[in-house]
């Protein structure tokens, strides 16, 4: 994925949905299933990392604006 352009979150999610659909059909040869499963795991990690980065940016922006950021793990006010 590093040789290609960096995917957006939405592009990665669309590819991931395509992979899940293909695997759910069940008529994929084992070797191909393993290959696309690994690609799906890579896309899942990419999406997770992008979401974490966005959460951290939101917490920073909220703090800079004088708002209390929510606890990103529980969704509760930390106070």
């Amino acid at each position: 994925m590093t040789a290609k352009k960096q995917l957006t979150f939405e592009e990665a999610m669309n590819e991931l949905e395509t992979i899940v659909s293909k695997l759910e059909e069940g008529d994929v040869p084992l070797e191909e299933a393993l290959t696309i499963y690994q690609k799906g795991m890579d896309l899942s990690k990419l999406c997770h990392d992008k979401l974490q980065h966005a959460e951290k940016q939101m917490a920073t922006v909220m703090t800079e604006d004088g708002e209390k950021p929510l606890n990103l793990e529980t969704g509760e006010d930390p106070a």
Side-chain angles (χ1 to χ4, degrees):
M1 220 177 298
T2 54
K4 293 191 271 184
K5 76 172 184 89
Q6 183 72 8
L7 295 175
T8 66
F9 176 81
E10 291 77 12
E11 291 168 337
M13 283 298 296
N14 286 335
E15 282 193 39
L16 191 53
E17 288 173 5
T18 300
I19 287 171
V20 169
S21 295
K22 192 179 253 190
L23 289 173
E24 285 178 341
E25 289 173 7
D27 57 352
V28 179
L30 179 61
E31 291 79 15
E32 183 182 349
L34 290 171
T35 299
I36 61 176
Y37 178 82
Q38 182 59 53
K39 182 176 180 183
M41 293 301 294
D42 293 342
L43 289 167
S44 176
K45 181 180 180 337
L46 175 71
C47 290
H48 180 264
D49 292 347
K50 285 184 177 283
L51 283 175
Q52 279 192 321
H53 180 72
E55 287 176 345
K56 287 177 184 173
Q57 281 184 305
M58 286 300 298
T60 300
V61 168
M62 291 175 71
T63 302
E64 288 173 356
D65 287 344
E67 297 180 34
K68 291 181 186 174
L70 295 178
N71 180 320
L72 297 178
E73 295 194 13
T74 65
E76 298 174 357
D77 190 337

